[in-house]
Every structure is written in C-alpha cells, then in structure tokens.
Amino acid sequence: MTLAFLRRPLKSLLLHASLAALLMLGAVPGQAEEVISPGATIRLLQGEADAQGMARFGLEIDLQPGWKTYWRTPGEGGFPAEIDTAASTNVTRATLLWPAPERQHFLGFETIGYGADVVLPIDVQLADPGAPARLDLQGAVYVCSDVCTRVEIAFAAEVTPGVTGPGDARIETFRARVPVAPAEAGLALGDAGILQTPEGPALRVVATGATAFGTPDLFVETDPPIAFGAPRLRFTDDRRRVEMIAPLTAPLPPGVALEGLLAGLTLVDGARAVMAEARLAALPAGDTGGFVAEAAGVGLLAMLATALLGGLILNLMPCVLPVLSLKLVSLARQGGAAPRAIRLGFLASAAGIVASFLVLASAMVGLKAAGAAVGWGIQFQQPVFLVLLVTLLTLFAVNLLGGFEIPLPRALADRLNGGRQGQGGSLAGHFATGAFATLLATPCSAPFLGTAVGFALAQGPAEIYLVFTALGLGLGLPYLLVAAFPGVAARLPRPGRWMLVLRRLLAVPLLLTAAWLLAVLAAQAGALTALLVALLMLALGLMLASRQSAVGRQRLASFSAVALAAAALLAPLAATAPPATPDAAPRAVAGLDWTHFDTTEITRRVAGGEVVFVEVTADWCITCKVNERVVLADATVRERLAAAGVAPMLADWTRPDPAITAYLQSFGRYGIPFTAVYGPAAPDGIVLPELLSRARVLEALDAAAGAGPQAAALISRQSRGSQP
C-alpha cells in the first residue's frame, strides 16, 4: 500500500504551500547529543540490543508548550519525521515505529500527530550481530505552532557486541504505545466497508472488545487523494461493540472508486492501540447490520431516559445547598398568588434551566469542533468564570439581605406578569433564577449523569443537544411539578415579614458558596488574586447595602471606601504576581500519602503486584469533597489505602490538565468525581460510582488484588461494561 501523503486534495495542498512558506530551516548539527530548535529539543536515545542483532533506539522529541509534531500520516497538513541511516556501518535496516497519535486542529484543518513529548522507537537490525556497529542517523523533524520549523538532525551511536543494556526506559514506555495486532489487545476489527449515508459514502468499521470501550478513534490510511475524517461512534449498551463511521474529507475525484481500496486502520482507545489492513467492499444498499438502528433507536432513547434520571437526581446532590436557597425564595414569593401566576413563574424557572443546558450544549459542541477538551464542570477550571460567579453570588446574597432591588420598568413588568406586577416577581426574574441554579449545579456529578454526559460528548451535535435537553428537564422537574400542581405554593401565606427573615437566612448558603469559590480561585490564580476579589466583593456589598438604610450609612460607606482602597493597592501586585504553579506534592486529602497521577506508573505498579487506587478530584467539585470527607477519611478505608502493597494516586483536575482529561475520556467519562482501582486481577481498572461508599471501595480493593468472595463477580461485571 502506497501512502504518498504529498498528493493531497486542493485544501491540503494549499495548507502545505502555506507551511512551506513559513518553514525556517534549522542548523545542521554535527552529530550532536541533542538538537535544539525554537519548538523542540530532539535527542537520540539508546536502548538495549539482543543476541540476534536487533538494537533499539529512540528519537525523543521534547516539545515546547503549544508546539506539535506529526504522525506517519499527518492528515490535512504537516510532514512526518524522516530518517536516513544509509551511512551506518554494519546496519542492514532501521525501522521507525509510530506510537498511537491524537487528532489536532489548526485554522480549520485537521492534522494527526502528537501534542506532547514523544519518543519514536527505532529498531536497528545489524548485519553481523557479533561485530561492532555504528548507527549514523540523519533526517528531519517537523514541529509547528503558529509557525512551522523543519529541524535537521544528525546523530551517531556505537553498538558494542555483547552489551545489551539496560538502555533508556523511555524507549520502552513509548514502544508500549505502538499499535499492535488486534488479537494482542483483545480487540477485533471487522465489517469494514463502504456505507452510503445521507452525506455521501463513508467508511464503516465495527470493533469488538473483551472490555468496554472508552472513546475510541479511528485513523484511516489510504492512497491519496482519498482521505477519511474523524468517525462518528455508536455503541451497544455494554460498550463492548462500537460502530465507527468515518466520512470522506473531500468529494471523490471523477473516476476514483472506493470499492477494492486497501486501507490501513489504526484504532486508538485510551491505552489500547491496534492496527490492521482491510480491503474495502461496498455494503448492500440500506445494510447497516442492524447496528445503526439499534444505537439510534433503543440506545439513544435509553440514554435520554438515563439523562432525565441523572438530572432529577442532581437535585439531591450536595451542590444544591445554594440552589435550594433560590428554589425556596422562588416558592415563598408565590405565596397567596393566583394559580396562573404560580404556574407561569415555575414554568419560567424550568425554561431558564433548560435554556442554560442548551447553552452548555452549544459550548460543548463548539469546543469539540475546535478540538478543545470538553467535560462536565470544566468552566470551574477558569479563574475568570470563578470571579464572575463570585460576583453573581454576592449580588444575589446582598439582594436577599435587602441591600438592593432592581425593579423592571412598569410596562415591561406588567407585560411579563400578565398585568399583575408584584405577584411573585417577573417572569424574567424566574427565568434568571433557573439559569443561575444550573450554573451552581454544574460542579456536581450524580449517578447516571456521568454516563449520559459521556455518551453525548462521544457523539455528534444532535445527540449532545438531545441529552443535555433531557438533563435540563430532569433538573427542572421539581419546578414543572409545582407548575402542574400550583396549589402547593398557593397554600403558603402571602409574603410578609416572615419572608424577610427567610430571605436573610437563605442568603447565608450563597455567601458560604462565594467564600468556597474564592478558595478555589486561590488554588488556581494565587491567594493574592482571591484576596483582591474578596475585597472588591466586600466593597460592592457594603456600597449596595448602604443605599437602603440611613442607619449606619456613613459607617458602611467608610468600610467600603477602605476595602476599595485596599483592593486598589493590591491590584498591581496581583497583576504582576507569577501564576500559581502545581504543588511539589499532591495536596492533602483524607490524611493519606498520595502519589502523583501517572498512567505509566499505574502500569508499572500493577505489573509489580501492587493495587493502585486512582482518585480524580478537584477543589471545585463538591461531590468529590463529600467522597473525601465521608468515605476516604473513614478509618477503615484509610487503613486499607495506607497498607503495604496499595498505592493511592491523586489526579487533581482543579486546573486544566490534558493528561487527566485524556484519562477520563479513555473511560468514556467527561466529569468528576471519578475513581478507579487497578491490581493484578484488574489491570484495566474497576470503575466505582460517582458517590462512593465504604463497602464499594473495600470490595473493589479486594477484587483488584484477587481476594474476597465477590472479586470474580465484580471483575466480570466490570468487563461487561455494566454500571458499577
């Protein structure tokens, strides 16, 4: 099969022309130990050699942040690394191996390669294993960010007979990521053929596995100008079988046929990567093997029901404490109102919730199309969002404390309330309450919610919008029930002095939530920035409060002036302070000695017979905090996690971390909390529910170690991909 990647469609050729115009040739090194360029540092690593004359080397590409390099088939732009060993002595061939790649996006083009440091293994076969050999390697590596650089390389290394290593461990780490035959990974690729879809012909491949799939990707290598893009994924309910439909990236040229085409298929699913070849045949018209109908029909309907249930359960999660304040105030304001006004108010709140979920869905679709990381609650990783939310919470709290009111114009208020101003507030206010409740609920996960979100984000835009709509309907179901039975609110006493007391009490959870978010902000942007925001919010609250009462107005104004002055003095310091850096050691959780998250370390420890307990958490995740304080802090659980042979590993997702994001997506998850237990009896991991319990944690630890009466049953249930 010829993979002449230089022959591309017009769009790709134009990109290559622009890349060529930007190329800056690096200096040719004189067999240096390393080659340093603006985007990467490149080294030749030497591994072990065996008695049969196979020596292992590795080309390490240490990328700078924001730079990337390319796979052997780079997609719509870029060039792969090139090596030439013709000048070597006692070397018959050198084979460059390619670890599993990832998709990247740049200026609307989709490329395939590596966005983090990578080692390309090189297998060197010696002509005479008993004689000295010299590897003389020359070539080029292409790295890109906003500009692209061709980095010329030249390395030399001696191979001494009888010296076998141990060699550089990094070579073996990336060698383990090189795709293997499907049978070696417990996978099967089949049913490869050309399917006629409404958008045109597409490649259809079905993969099956002994364990459930996470979020697999399919990379297709064919003779140009034919090229296939990212596949759409459809799973069976147990996620052990996935259908991948990869569309053409450009229309077929006249006279070019897909039938009979030999295609290279590389499937990447987390740590699993396989490759195979397939001769493509046309599928009969309308033949989808029953798979599409199953996934789009029963599978999607079942997932929508799961999303509805997950949204409903979200009302019962710990994060609803501040949301409960808004709900109770909304209910209290309706006391004594007419049933029609009550119904309209709660329908408006439910509409605000659903609309907010649609906004979240739109953001997910946009981020996914741009190739960015997507997930549930990731907006809490952004300091700007935290500052905005702290501001809104402060305004809501001061409003509940009676500090200010923002009335609508009389004509607009009458129109929104059907001519009944003052009865329960405006419909716009109810709508805003629902929208804000959604924002406050997003740092929480719930049973079934993670499954629904993971399914949606692995699909296309239509599925994302449908699932997020179902989530919004589930969260808004209590409002809809009150709207259906408005007599519940009508029986409450009319608003009066009792409501003023209630409003002041309900302001407390909102203020506590604002303080908690300031602590999260301090972890992300530094304590000085959090203090600055706190002072600004204090000044804002005091100024608003001073407007409503003549008693103590001068004192409040003085306090607010002092707070503003302090904030003004701290602002330059916060602006010039260095960004917060990750702690040297994982943060303290439940008094345990945690190790840093590292997927390679998981594999190494499990191979050594240890049990690894992985906890993905974040400062902004309230459900995570509940798990930590209720379950992980339990004396029995702590004793087991601190025992010999057990390694607790903490993955802190407070700040964006591509490695943690990729790890979650390998399980089909896009939110936290997430807990997995690995061991000799469970090398692929046992996934625990979002809400932990002492019994489930101890059971999983026993099962991963291969002990306990329920170990076999738990591992079997996990391998079937069922809900834990």
Side-chain angles (χ1 to χ4, degrees):
M1 178 174 59
T2 302
L3 299 177
F5 48 83
L6 291 180
R7 291 179 288 156
R8 303 293 182 86
L10 177 60
K11 176 183 178 183
S12 183
L13 291 176
L14 290 175
L15 178 60
H16 278 91
S18 63
L19 291 175
L22 291 172
L23 282 176
M24 300 179 297
L25 296 180
V28 179
Q31 298 176 349
E33 293 184 357
E34 62 181 22
V35 178
I36 301 175
S37 75
T41 299
I42 304 168
R43 307 176 185 89
L44 180 67
L45 308 180
Q46 187 161 1
E48 61 184 17
D50 59 28
Q52 288 71 42
M54 180 65 73
R56 293 183 172 182
F57 290 85
L59 191 64
E60 182 184 40
I61 306 173
D62 188 358
L63 294 166
Q64 294 294 325
W67 287 74
K68 62 184 178 182
T69 190
Y70 298 97
W71 192 48
R72 63 170 177 252
T73 299
E76 294 183 298
F79 299 90
E82 307 162 356
I83 63 170
D84 181 1
T85 59
S88 301
T89 303
N90 193 26
V91 171
T92 58
R93 70 175 185 274
T95 305
L96 187 63
L97 304 179
W98 300 89
E102 61 186 15
R103 291 190 189 274
Q104 302 161 336
H105 296 81
F106 177 69
L107 297 178
F109 294 89
E110 183 176 85
T111 59
I112 303 171
Y114 312 96
D117 300 346
V118 65
V119 174
L120 304 180
I122 305 174
D123 284 353
V124 176
Q125 180 63 54
L126 306 186
D128 181 359
R134 173 185 171 88
L135 176 66
D136 193 326
L137 184 148
Q138 299 183 26
V141 173
Y142 299 83
V143 292
C144 285
S145 62
D146 296 332
V147 296
C148 292
T149 303
R150 171 188 165 98
V151 185
E152 300 282 352
I153 58 173
F155 298 107
E158 305 290 339
V159 180
T160 305
V163 178
T164 60
D168 198 303
R170 287 170 290 180
I171 300 175
E172 298 308 313
T173 297
F174 283 90
R175 177 180 289 274
R177 303 180 190 178
V178 174
V180 297
E184 295 182 43
L187 300 178
L189 295 181
D191 298 336
I194 301 303
L195 177 69
Q196 297 300 323
T197 71
E199 295 80 19
L203 172 64
R204 174 180 181 264
V205 178
V206 174
T208 56
T211 58
F213 286 98
T215 309
D217 200 351
L218 181 70
F219 302 95
V220 184
E221 298 175 271
T222 61
D223 286 333
I226 300 170
F228 294 92
R232 300 193 304 270
L233 305 177
R234 300 186 187 277
F235 299 88
T236 52
D237 288 339
D238 61 2
R239 295 183 73 90
R240 293 176 60 190
R241 186 167 181 255
V242 58
E243 179 193 51
M244 298 169 285
I245 300 178
L248 288 168
T249 57
L252 282 176
V256 176
L258 295 176
E259 291 76 11
L261 183 72
L262 184 62
L265 307 176
T266 299
L267 184 149
V268 179
D269 182 40
R272 299 185 291 185
V274 301
M275 58 182 177
E277 285 189 346
R279 184 73 66 179
L280 305 184
L283 295 176
D287 177 20
T288 62
F291 204 111
V292 175
E294 173 188 341
V298 177
L300 180 58
L301 289 177
M303 201 53 63
L304 291 177
T306 300
L308 186 69
L309 182 59
L312 178 61
I313 295 177
L314 193 58
N315 284 282
L316 307 176
M317 300 304 291
C319 51
V320 301
L321 183 62
V323 178
L324 186 61
S325 296
L326 304 178
K327 290 181 179 180
L328 291 177
V329 169
S330 178
L331 186 63
R333 283 191 308 202
Q334 302 285 355
R340 180 179 181 276
I342 295 174
R343 180 175 288 113
L344 290 175
F346 277 88
L347 285 176
S349 294
I353 292 174
V354 174
S356 298
F357 270 91
L358 291 176
V359 171
L360 288 174
S362 299
M364 297 297 179
V365 169
L367 288 172
K368 192 175 180 184
V374 292
W376 180 255
I378 60 172
Q379 67 271 22
F380 283 84
Q381 296 176 339
Q382 305 302 324
V384 173
F385 176 82
L386 293 176
V387 172
L388 175 63
L389 200 53
V390 169
T391 303
L392 291 175
L393 283 166
T394 303
L395 291 174
F396 267 85
V398 173
N399 172 260
L400 292 179
L401 291 171
F404 72 99
E405 299 286 346
I406 304 178
L408 290 174
R410 178 59 181 262
L412 179 59
D414 288 346
R415 177 175 294 274
L416 290 174
N417 285 301
R420 295 177 175 85
Q421 184 181 9
Q423 290 194 11
S426 71
L427 296 185
H430 289 298
F431 184 92
T433 297
F436 192 58
T438 303
L439 274 182
L440 292 178
T442 51
C444 260
S445 185
F448 302 103
L449 184 142
T451 302
V453 171
F455 169 84
L457 296 182
Q459 307 299 314
E463 289 85 354
I464 292 177
Y465 279 110
L466 287 172
V467 169
F468 272 68
T469 299
L471 287 170
L473 290 173
L475 183 61
L477 193 56
Y479 291 94
L480 295 173
L481 289 175
V482 175
F485 304 100
V488 175
R491 293 191 182 96
L492 291 175
R494 294 180 178 275
R497 187 171 185 81
W498 68 272
M499 186 174 170
L500 296 178
V501 176
L502 177 65
R503 284 165 59 99
R504 284 165 172 74
L505 291 175
L506 294 179
V508 175
L510 295 180
L511 292 173
L512 291 176
T513 304
W516 162 65
L517 290 177
L518 285 171
V520 177
L521 181 64
Q524 292 186 7
L528 192 60
T529 301
L531 178 60
L532 171 62
V533 174
L535 288 171
L536 289 173
M537 293 306 102
L538 175 63
L540 175 63
L542 290 174
M543 290 176 65
L544 291 172
S546 67
R547 297 173 52 197
Q548 300 297 317
S549 173
V551 179
R553 180 178 298 172
Q554 186 62 43
R555 183 176 300 174
L556 287 173
S558 300
F559 282 147
S560 64
V562 171
L564 281 173
L569 291 174
L570 288 175
L573 297 177
T576 57
T581 57
D583 297 331
R587 61 184 175 87
V589 172
L592 290 165
D593 185 15
W594 297 88
T595 62
H596 280 290
F597 172 76
D598 186 342
T599 53
T600 304
E601 185 71 4
I602 295 174
T603 304
R604 188 189 69 80
R605 288 178 178 268
V606 171
E610 292 186 66
V611 172
V612 181
F613 181 89
V614 178
E615 178 72 7
V616 186
T617 182
D619 285 339
W620 45 262
C621 173
I622 302 180
T623 313
C624 302
K625 298 297 183 185
V626 173
N627 285 338
E628 293 168 7
R629 297 181 182 180
V630 176
V631 178
L632 299 185
D634 178 83
T636 304
V637 173
R638 279 200 305 170
E639 182 179 355
R640 286 295 304 277
L641 292 177
V646 179
M649 184 175 289
L650 192 73
D652 192 344
W653 211 34
T654 301
R655 301 183 184 92
D657 189 322
I660 297 177
T661 302
Y663 174 73
L664 290 172
Q665 292 179 0
S666 71
F667 286 91
R669 297 293 183 89
Y670 291 82
I672 55 175
F674 179 83
T675 307
V677 185
Y678 300 81
D684 294 327
I686 299 172
V687 179
L688 297 182
E690 286 91 345
L691 280 177
L692 298 178
S693 68
R694 179 175 67 173
R696 294 304 296 272
V697 170
L698 298 178
E699 179 188 22
L701 290 171
D702 287 338
Q710 296 178 321
L714 179 59
I715 294 174
S716 175
R717 183 167 73 244
Q718 184 74 26
S719 68
R720 293 195 303 269
S722 57
Q723 280 290 325

